[in-house]
């Protein structure tokens, strides 16, 4: 991948990630609770490790790419049962709409991020608010707080937060590209950050579009 522009590398990785994710989701669609829990733990662990290793280690680039692909595959295995459940209850419509809406947000964020400047000033407090939101959502799920209105409200808030992260990471990408950075390590780091936000947005859109 060395020699390609940073934009080509990142969006190439994301396009490949969508194929790997689809394969993982197909393989994991019949997963049981234990598989889902294992997938969630592995997804979070690799999701933290891959960007960190890309930024702060001298790990062989091929091994780093392998870890990235494995992480994306795990994300598909983790989401497979969720997608299957949504399809069984609502048909393919929510899944297709979620994928289309996520793509539109990604394209829009890419164009909005051109010439945007450094997003770190607002991404740090955004991360803090996101942590609080996720904690509240987990507590609510634990105590059994459910309902269509709750799903719509939390889905909308989550979608807005995920979209903001996509915009921020897209701005980081544009800055690095403008600075002439063509490092594959940088591409993997930014692609991993974008993929985590893209997957989150996809899940929130599925929640919104489901009946």
């Amino acid at each position: 991948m060395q020699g390609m522009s940073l934009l080509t590398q990142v969006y190439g990785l994301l396009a490949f990630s969508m194929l790997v994710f689809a394969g993982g989701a197909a393989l994991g669609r019949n997963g049981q609770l234990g598989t889902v829990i294992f997938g969630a733990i592995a997804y979070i662990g690799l999701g933290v490790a891959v960007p960190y290793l890309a930024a702060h280690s001298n790990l062989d680039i091929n091994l780093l790419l392998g870890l990235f692909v494995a992480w994306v595959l795990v994300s598909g295995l983790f989401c497979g049962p969720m997608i299957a459940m949504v399809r069984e209850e609502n048909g393919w419509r929510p899944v297709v709409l979620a994928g289309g809406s996520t793509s539109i947000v990604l394209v829009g964020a890419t164009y909005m991020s051109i010439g945007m400047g450094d997003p770190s000033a607002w991404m740090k407090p955004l991360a803090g608010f996101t942590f609080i939101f996720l904690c509240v959502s987990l507590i609510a799920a634990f105590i059994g707080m459910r309902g269509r209105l709750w799903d719509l409200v939390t889905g909308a808030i989550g979608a807005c937060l995920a979209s903001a992260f996509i915009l921020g990471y897209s701005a980081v990408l544009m800055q690095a590209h403008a600075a002439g950075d063509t490092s594959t390590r940088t591409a993997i780091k930014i692609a991993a950050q974008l993929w985590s936000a893209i997957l989150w947005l996809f899940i929130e859109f599925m929640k919104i579009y489901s009946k």
Side-chain angles (χ1 to χ4, degrees):
M1 293 175 64
Q2 289 286 5
M4 299 181 184
S5 73
L6 190 64
L7 291 178
T8 300
Q9 292 184 67
V10 170
Y11 290 119
L13 283 170
L14 290 177
F16 182 66
S17 296
M18 293 174 188
L19 295 176
V20 175
F21 174 80
L27 289 173
R29 66 186 183 277
N30 296 320
Q32 303 301 315
L33 180 60
T35 304
V36 174
I37 293 174
F38 171 78
I41 295 172
Y43 172 73
I44 293 171
L46 286 172
V48 173
V50 170
Y52 178 83
L53 290 173
H56 302 290
S57 78
N58 294 318
L59 191 68
D60 179 76
I61 196 66
N62 292 318
L63 181 56
L64 193 58
L65 280 168
L67 285 174
F68 176 82
V69 173
W71 175 56
V72 175
L73 180 64
V74 166
S75 72
L77 294 171
F78 164 54
C79 291
M82 184 189 314
I83 295 172
M85 183 178 67
V86 170
R87 181 186 61 81
E88 289 175 5
E89 295 178 355
N90 303 274
W92 282 107
R93 181 176 176 273
V95 180
V96 173
L97 287 175
S101 299
T102 302
S103 299
I104 290 172
V105 170
L106 179 60
V107 172
T110 300
Y111 280 101
M112 289 175 63
S113 65
I114 298 174
M116 183 177 174
D118 187 5
S120 60
W122 55 267
M123 286 190 75
K124 289 180 180 179
L126 180 68
F129 180 80
T130 300
F131 178 75
I132 295 172
F133 170 74
L134 293 176
C135 287
V136 171
S137 298
L138 286 173
I139 293 171
F142 181 76
I143 64 177
M145 186 178 293
R146 298 174 182 173
R148 181 58 182 153
L149 180 60
W150 175 258
D151 286 344
L152 285 173
V153 171
T154 56
I157 295 173
C160 288
L161 291 171
S163 298
F165 276 109
I166 291 174
L167 178 61
Y169 292 137
S170 296
V172 171
L173 170 60
M174 292 302 172
Q175 279 190 317
H177 174 70
D181 191 344
T182 60
S183 168
T184 300
R185 291 183 182 278
T186 303
I188 293 172
K189 176 188 174 184
I190 297 176
Q193 292 169 330
L194 277 168
W195 179 255
S196 63
I198 288 169
L199 183 59
W200 181 20
L201 181 61
F202 173 73
I203 292 172
E204 296 297 352
F205 273 137
M206 274 204 308
K207 186 192 300 182
I208 291 171
Y209 290 128
S210 298
K211 296 179 181 178

